[in-house]
Amino acid sequence: MKFSLFSESKTKEVIDLFKRVFSESESEAEGQAIADFVGNLIATTKSQDLIGCIAEENEIIVGCIFFSRFTVPSGQDAFILSPVAVSTDVQGTGVGQKLIQYGLDHLRSLNVSLVFTYGDPSFYSKTGFEQINEDIVKAPFHLSQPIGWLAQSLNGQEIQAMAGPTQCVEALNDPSLW
Ligand SMILES: CC(C)(COP(=O)(O)OP(=O)(O)OC[C@H]1O[C@@H](n2cnc3c(N)ncnc32)[C@H](O)[C@@H]1OP(=O)(O)O)[C@@H](O)C(=O)NCCC(=O)NCCS
């Protein structure tokens, strides 16, 4: 398994992966919705605000994750992890966790302080994410599942409560995603 950073030349293959994985795990409509979202994320996010990571097996992409810039009131450098997909045929073999770990190591190398995500705590806790209360850091939109609001510090310092709103990139600026 080879891990590397996403580059725009891989856009079509990555969108196809998300479409296939979510069509198989949820529905064709979900597959199309996530494909549209990923296309939009790549097209509308400045390159310095978007970090994609891919896992390849025999030159075929079997996993992909994106981190996008997340603006927090403390002014610390922060990113949010979304979305994540691992090819159905290799799910449950550790690819997702290794890919996220690869991405977190890269963010650490860039001195990013905080990473957030919104998803299943039982999966994301395996790579260091913990539930975070909105009294500590607010989500940008009303959360339909507050239990899925997760974060981790990458610099060893505890996340301090910060007052004020947070801001995600344009592609995530859609209340229905939250
Ligand atoms: C969720 C997903 C990214 C996990 O990646 P993966 O490579 O299959 O996961 P790993 O093999 O690294 O880790 C497996 C562990 O995560 C757990 N896990 C796997 N898929 C999970 C899911 N959908 N929800 C919760 N936990 C999950 C397993 O229970 C397993 O735990 P165990 O080792 O204690 O049994 C992948 O299954 C996937 O792409 N699913 C469909 C799309 C999706 O739901 N994406 C996430 C939302 S954006």
Side-chain angles (χ1 to χ4, degrees):
M1 189 77 49
K2 183 181 146 210
F3 298 98
S4 60
L5 294 177
F6 167 79
S7 63
E8 281 196 23
S9 62
K10 308 267 183 179
T11 298
K12 185 180 179 305
E13 208 185 333
V14 158
I15 292 174
D16 287 348
L17 172 79
F18 277 98
K19 185 171 181 174
R20 203 172 60 244
V21 168
F22 279 80
S23 295
E24 288 165 0
S25 71
E26 308 221 1
S27 65
E28 273 194 27
E30 270 306 311
Q32 189 56 55
I34 191 93
D36 293 344
F37 166 65
V38 172
N40 190 23
L41 183 69
I42 294 168
T44 63
T45 312
K46 289 189 204 131
S47 58
Q48 68 266 32
D49 293 342
L50 187 68
I51 295 167
C53 305
I54 57 175
E56 285 171 293
E57 184 79 358
N58 301 324
E59 317 255 308
I60 292 170
I61 298 180
V62 295
C64 182
I65 61 176
F66 282 99
F67 298 92
S68 56
R69 174 97 43 201
F70 192 64
T71 307
V72 294
S74 66
Q76 287 166 290
D77 241 349
F79 276 77
I80 185 162
L81 168 62
S82 175
V84 174
V86 171
S87 189
T88 312
D89 51 333
V90 296
Q91 282 177 13
T93 65
V95 176
Q97 289 174 64
K98 285 188 200 130
L99 188 53
I100 293 170
Q101 213 54 67
Y102 171 85
L104 294 174
D105 286 345
H106 181 68
L107 292 178
R108 259 185 223 101
S109 77
L110 299 174
N111 290 322
V112 171
S113 304
L114 299 172
V115 189
F116 293 80
T117 194
Y118 181 45
D120 189 329
S122 66
F123 174 63
Y124 290 104
S125 63
K126 292 175 189 293
T127 47
F129 288 92
E130 292 178 358
Q131 288 179 34
I132 181 164
N133 194 292
E134 283 202 80
D135 292 344
I136 309 290
V137 185
K138 286 196 174 24
F141 289 96
H142 171 75
L143 297 175
S144 56
Q145 307 220 22
I147 196 174
W149 185 229
L150 311 171
Q152 65 176 295
S153 164
L154 295 182
N155 61 11
Q157 287 170 16
E158 201 181 326
I159 303 174
Q160 302 291 327
M162 45 185 98
T166 54
Q167 171 85 52
C168 50
V169 297
E170 194 183 320
L172 278 165
N173 241 339
D174 173 355
S176 71
L177 295 170
W178 301 81

